[in-house]
Amino acid sequence: MSNRGFFGVIVAAIILMVISSSIYVVTEYERAVVLRFGRLVQMDVEPGLHFKLPVADKVRKFDGRLLTADMRPESFFTVENKRLIVDSFIKWRIKNVENYYKATGGDERVAAERLASRVADGLRNHFGRRTMHEVVSGRRDELMEELTHSLNLVTEDLLGLEVVDIRVKRIDLPTDVSDSVYARMAADREKEAREYRSKGQEQAEVIRADADRQRAVLEANAYRDAERIRGDGDAKAAAIFAAAYSQDPEFYAFVRSLTAYSNTFKGREDLLVVDPDSDFFRYLKDASGKK
Amino acid sequence: MAWNEPGGNDKDPWGGGRGKNDGPPDLDEAFKKLQDKLNGLFGGRSGGKGGGSGSAPRGNPWPLFSIIAVVAVVIYLAAGFYTVDAKERAVVLQFGAFKEIKEEGLSWNAPLVTQVFKVNVTEESQYPSRALMLTLDESIVELPITVQYNVQDVRDYVLNVRDPEISLRHAADSALRHVVGSTALNQVLSEGRQKIAEEVKLRIQAYLDDYGTGILVRDVNIQEGRPPEEVRAAFDDVIKAKEDEERLKNQAQAYSNEVIPQARGRAQRMLEESEAYRAEVIARAEGESDRFERLMAEYHLQPAVTRERLYIETMERVMGNASKVMVDVQGGNNMLYLPLDRLVQSENRPAQQSYQQSQSVVREAPRALEQTPTTSIRREIR
């Protein structure tokens, strides 16, 4: 009784082992091939639960998701012989599992390496035909599309995979070139700075000159008007004088002369050398005033 | 079976771990039963040693199997439960094939045959990056960027791409450099930032959709672009130059603001002065002519007397003020020496002294007028 039970357990275990080695699961994101004694018998198994012959069949499963091959930064020369350091990546996925298995033995790294060397060649060709300006600026899309397209023509047959995208992550200049770029940038800035400063000086000069002009014009105009007014005053005064003095010019000359005399000899330092015979001194020698 | 006896805790084969016999007795009971059943399963060889408590029926293992089966089923069923958080979604694969997406809450899936991938979908993740890159005009700029994203399509996220996050990083780096490479340095540094962010966002999303990552880019923030360390001084100098420009202009403006009002003031002064002059001249003329006319009216009444009076009064004033040397030319000798320099000097001395001197110097000397220029010449020579 107990021996039978023990045997039953063993049989159950063997049955379990056979079953477990004859079923396999392919998940949604996997691609799988079945090999019977090393020969491919089933390509691209659907996701789900499947059965196989134990021992004879072997299942190889590969990652069917989109994979990234991150390439090492490499130097490329542009058409004008400028060296650029380019860091790129490739997005790819298995397209034809049979070809993929045959070409790479299902080793992802082998596939990525083969792909990388092809991409590097392609990039080298494309860079060599373009100027640095084209490579750096907006022509990248074109370049990448072309390269992806041309690679896809061969990779499905040769490697069983599809290149979804190739992108350049970084395009850098080598250190020595960077230094000269920095020098140029600094010179650019200097140019700009000088322009600002001299523009400032220019405008300052304009403002100053304008101010000086306004000052000169203001003062000259004022001088002109002032002289005009003075002249007007002089003229009016002259008219007044003339009107008054023309009434008795002789008497005017007399009065005016007297005023002039008294104005002229005002100071004590004035020294008069006088002749006692003058009219003023006529009584000095003679009380009757006769000569 | 002595270890179940009350107070026998020091005989506990599990050591002192259970403490003071406070374990629930029914658990012990169940354990004991299980032990017995196991004994029964393996031929009941230890049954005799089991003592009185061994109650399992011997020779019939089926109830035992059924209990094991029940326990196994319970464990299996229990293992299938899992919770999905409010911020998560779960992708369920059954036998490897996609089955369903579970929303938040308690869920059950058959263990072993199903795989469950839980993904946080609401939480916004960030990818910050900063690096030097080339611009359109082949300059180098440092542009820090932050990409905010979350998972939109869980199925794509789990099944389509290995390492979707790395794909996002690559896409972000590539897109940023692409856009910056198509933009001139000055734009990158100044007003072009918003545009760059927009373009980068569109590009990243396009790449990610192309790859089928199921990631949605929420926002791309671009911080202030900075020139590289090596040229920062030059860039700062441009800013300083702009300030200098403003300063120079302001200084000139200040000069202008100072000079023009002053000139206006001076001009006004000139005008006012001339007006004053005109008024003065006219008033004086009027005054003088008026005075003259009044005098003249009197003069015409008595011309001779008035004339004489005017003359003498004026001469008196003139003579009274000035120093005098009286020379009688007709009666004197031919040579007359007038020490004019000394006379003039003495005028500068105190008044009474000079008065005496001037009195004493009255001398008769002919040709005094001819002598005078000589003296003045001598003074000039000296």
Side-chain angles (χ1 to χ4, degrees):
Chain A
M1 179 72 193
S2 66
N3 280 347
R4 258 184 65 194
F6 189 62
F7 182 71
V9 169
I10 287 171
V11 167
I14 288 170
I15 288 170
L16 211 68
M17 274 171 64
V18 170
I19 290 173
S20 73
S21 67
S22 66
I23 60 172
Y24 64 97
V25 169
V26 176
T27 53
E28 191 76 23
Y29 53 78
E30 281 173 334
R31 308 292 292 269
V33 290
V34 180
L35 298 152
R36 184 163 297 159
F37 299 116
R39 198 156 49 85
L40 277 169
V41 289
Q42 207 181 350
M43 269 78 75
D44 206 3
V45 189
E46 291 285 303
L49 187 67
H50 300 280
F51 298 95
K52 66 180 176 72
L53 295 178
V55 185
D57 286 357
K58 275 207 171 68
V59 180
R60 294 293 307 269
K61 292 189 260 187
F62 316 114
D63 199 331
R65 293 178 289 186
L66 189 75
L67 304 178
T68 308
D70 202 348
M71 290 176 57
R72 281 188 305 277
E74 273 191 78
S75 300
F76 295 115
F77 284 94
T78 61
V79 72
E80 70 265 53
N81 238 1
K82 282 187 184 170
R83 195 157 70 90
L84 293 172
I85 296 167
V86 179
D87 190 359
S88 51
F89 64 89
I90 310 161
K91 294 279 175 191
W92 60 278
R93 65 158 60 91
I94 297 167
K95 176 111 187 224
N96 185 321
V97 202
E98 185 186 353
N99 288 353
Y100 179 73
Y101 179 70
K102 283 178 179 166
T104 66
D107 191 337
E108 226 172 75
R109 271 181 307 168
V110 173
E113 258 168 46
R114 299 234 185 123
L115 200 53
S117 63
R118 277 167 202 281
V119 170
D121 280 351
L123 282 176
R124 189 159 284 121
N125 282 339
H126 280 83
F127 274 63
R129 275 188 274 123
R130 284 171 167 79
T131 62
M132 177 170 155
H133 188 75
E134 284 175 322
V135 172
V136 171
S137 67
R139 314 284 304 265
R140 288 193 205 193
D141 277 342
E142 242 174 67
L143 196 156
M144 296 304 151
E145 263 169 43
E146 251 177 68
L147 191 56
T148 310
H149 184 70
S150 61
L151 272 175
N152 272 331
L153 294 177
V154 292
T155 48
E156 188 182 343
D157 288 339
L158 289 179
L159 296 169
L161 47 87
E162 172 199 20
V163 177
V164 175
D165 202 10
I166 300 168
R167 292 275 157 208
V168 168
K169 251 193 305 182
R170 293 182 7 218
I171 298 180
D172 285 336
L173 298 167
T175 325
D176 50 329
V177 183
S178 298
D179 288 344
S180 58
V181 167
Y182 290 145
R184 179 178 54 73
M185 285 172 77
D188 274 357
R189 295 306 108 183
E190 196 187 327
K191 190 176 72 185
E192 213 177 313
R194 285 199 184 177
E195 193 184 328
Y196 281 125
R197 292 211 168 90
S198 13
K199 258 192 195 165
Q201 280 165 355
E202 177 195 350
Q203 278 165 334
E205 207 56 55
V206 167
I207 293 168
R208 272 173 213 274
D210 183 62
D212 287 343
R213 176 186 59 78
Q214 286 191 43
R215 177 176 65 179
V217 169
L218 275 170
E219 289 184 354
N221 282 346
Y223 179 77
R224 180 195 61 206
D225 293 346
E227 288 302 294
R228 209 171 266 163
I229 290 165
R230 278 171 207 265
D232 187 45
D234 287 342
K236 283 199 173 119
I240 291 164
F241 281 131
Y245 300 155
S246 60
Q247 293 174 39
D248 190 344
E250 199 281 327
F251 181 62
Y252 169 70
F254 173 67
V255 170
R256 189 65 190 83
S257 297
L258 292 182
T259 315
Y261 299 154
S262 65
N263 284 342
T264 314
F265 303 103
K266 249 183 193 157
R268 284 215 152 266
E269 64 271 21
D270 296 328
L271 181 66
L272 286 176
V273 178
V274 293
D275 181 357
D277 290 339
S278 73
D279 208 24
F280 183 67
F281 293 112
R282 85 190 122 148
Y283 297 104
L284 196 66
K285 292 177 184 168
D286 182 7
S288 65
K290 290 166 194 162
K291 299 274 168 85
Chain B
M1 304 297 132
W3 66 64
N4 281 323
E5 283 169 17
N9 52 339
D10 45 348
K11 290 171 192 160
D12 194 335
W14 311 114
R18 271 201 288 174
K20 297 184 177 76
N21 194 31
D22 51 356
D26 50 341
L27 196 70
D28 279 353
E29 202 67 29
F31 195 77
K32 190 170 71 186
K33 277 180 190 163
L34 190 67
Q35 182 82 19
D36 290 344
K37 275 165 193 165
L38 282 172
N39 288 345
L41 181 64
F42 294 109
R45 260 168 266 153
S46 59
K49 208 176 119 198
S53 62
S55 60
R58 279 189 204 164
N60 186 7
W62 294 116
L64 184 70
F65 274 125
S66 63
I67 287 167
I68 291 170
V70 166
V71 169
V73 166
V74 167
I75 289 170
Y76 180 80
L77 292 179
F81 283 105
Y82 58 93
T83 55
V84 179
D85 198 89
K87 57 179 188 281
E88 292 174 329
R89 292 289 177 275
V91 177
V92 180
L93 300 184
Q94 194 165 43
F95 294 113
F98 174 75
K99 190 186 170 215
E100 58 185 335
I101 292 170
K102 289 277 193 200
E103 304 281 318
E104 63 204 75
L106 187 66
S107 295
W108 185 86
N109 277 109
L112 301 180
V113 298
T114 53
Q115 281 172 285
V116 177
F117 299 91
K118 285 194 250 181
V119 179
N120 192 330
V121 289
T122 53
E123 194 183 48
E124 216 165 66
S125 310
Q126 276 201 348
Y127 168 54
S129 159
R130 71 163 47 221
L132 293 171
M133 59 199 82
L134 283 167
T135 63
L136 180 67
D137 41 2
E138 287 168 39
S139 298
I140 296 169
V141 71
E142 185 183 354
L143 203 61
I145 182 178
T146 310
V147 183
Q148 273 138 14
Y149 61 96
N150 63 359
V151 178
Q152 196 187 35
D153 191 325
V154 208
R155 185 179 172 177
D156 283 353
Y157 185 79
V158 172
L159 301 177
N160 266 1
V161 181
R162 184 159 75 192
D163 288 331
E165 315 258 323
I166 287 181
S167 290
L168 173 105
R169 280 155 198 235
H170 284 162
D173 285 344
S174 177
L176 176 66
R177 281 177 174 77
H178 185 118
V179 175
V180 170
S182 318
T183 313
L185 175 70
N186 274 341
Q187 266 187 305
V188 176
L189 291 178
S190 56
E191 73 275 9
R193 270 196 302 149
Q194 195 52 46
K195 215 174 121 236
I196 291 173
E198 290 290 317
E199 275 185 48
V200 169
K201 186 183 167 190
L202 287 177
R203 269 192 178 271
I204 298 176
Q205 192 63 63
Y207 295 168
L208 292 178
D209 291 349
D210 205 17
Y211 305 158
T213 51
I215 289 177
L216 177 73
V217 177
R218 283 291 183 84
D219 206 3
V220 172
N221 289 318
I222 292 181
Q223 282 89 55
E224 198 71 52
R226 276 152 64 93
E229 202 61 60
E230 287 85 346
V231 292
R232 206 156 287 162
F235 276 79
D236 290 346
D237 193 48
V238 173
I239 296 165
K240 274 187 238 156
K242 280 184 193 166
E243 297 299 323
D244 284 351
E245 185 188 355
E246 282 308 306
R247 179 176 55 77
L248 288 169
K249 277 201 276 187
N250 285 341
Q251 281 173 348
Q253 200 60 54
Y255 171 78
S256 170
N257 289 349
E258 180 190 337
V259 158
I260 292 174
Q262 280 180 357
R264 248 193 324 256
R266 272 199 297 276
Q268 196 58 39
R269 166 160 284 280
M270 276 191 229
L271 289 177
E272 296 296 340
E273 279 175 357
S274 65
E275 289 285 357
Y277 173 81
R278 176 165 68 180
E280 187 189 335
V281 162
I282 292 172
R284 277 175 187 271
E286 280 170 354
E288 279 177 36
S289 57
D290 227 37
R291 178 181 171 188
F292 174 75
E293 275 170 6
R294 279 160 202 262
L295 185 63
M296 189 176 64
E298 291 307 315
Y299 167 75
H300 283 160
L301 295 177
Q302 290 290 331
V305 173
T306 311
R307 199 181 180 91
E308 191 71 17
R309 182 182 63 80
L310 286 173
Y311 176 72
I312 291 169
E313 277 178 6
T314 307
M315 290 318 281
E316 181 186 20
R317 205 161 45 243
V318 169
M319 292 296 174
N321 276 337
S323 309
K324 301 156 284 284
V325 178
M326 187 172 284
V327 179
D328 192 347
V329 182
Q330 282 153 352
N333 14 344
N334 280 345
M335 291 298 291
L336 172 68
Y337 171 66
L338 279 178
L340 280 176
D341 50 342
R342 221 180 301 156
L343 285 176
V344 173
Q345 269 178 13
S346 68
E347 290 307 318
N348 298 332
R349 290 192 197 133
Q352 66 265 56
Q353 204 182 342
S354 66
Y355 180 69
Q356 285 164 4
Q357 266 190 356
S358 62
Q359 289 293 337
S360 63
V361 185
V362 179
R363 240 191 261 164
E364 294 184 15
R367 301 205 171 267
L369 294 173
E370 281 142 59
Q371 198 69 28
T372 318
T374 334
T375 322
S376 64
I377 287 166
R378 207 186 295 152
R379 276 172 64 194
E380 276 170 21
I381 290 166
R382 218 186 283 156

